[in-house]
Amino acid sequence: AEGLMIYTSVTIGYDAPWRQVHAMLLRAAEKTPGLRATPAPFVWQRQLADFYVEYELSACIEEPRRRNAVLSELCANIQDEFNEHSVQIMSPHYIADPVEAKTVPESDWYAGPAAPK
């Protein structure tokens, strides 16, 4: 048996490169004790909303009875990872955009820790 899958989601503005968001979520999972390496954690883009993209991180835990503790630590690691890379988590809402456009130039598509395949 592969174990129990857990899920958590974040909403991130369109100004953050999606490849960077995927990489940060996966790094947060790698740093979380109690998550299995196999099957590997994965990220889905669940929604392209008016002001943000909703990302869902899925991972398998080793001990189902520790679900809440592992999920809590995963959420903490996600916050740390996003803060480390200065990417704002926009859940659940935000009030206003800055004056500059919210687009990602191609030169930033692989901003750290993302890397081209």
Side-chain angles (χ1 to χ4, degrees), residues 12-18 20 51 87-88 90 97-98 100-105 108:
I12 309 298
Y14 285 98
D15 57 333
W18 68 264
Q20 179 186 31
F51 303 106
V87 175
Q88 179 182 356
M90 301 179 73
D97 274 337
E100 63 275 359
K102 297 197 76 111
T103 60
V104 179
D108 293 339

Side-chain angles (χ1 to χ4, degrees), residues 26-63:
L26 294 173
R27 280 173 49 124
E30 288 173 10
K31 295 176 182 178
T32 304
L35 293 181
R36 297 179 62 152
T38 305
F42 57 92
V43 177
W44 292 107
Q45 293 187 40
R46 304 290 295 173
Q47 181 180 7
L48 301 176
D50 288 342
F51 303 106
Y52 55 79
V53 179
E54 180 183 353
Y55 298 88
E56 182 179 87
L57 173 64
S58 302
C60 189
I61 62 173
E62 295 172 351
E63 299 176 54

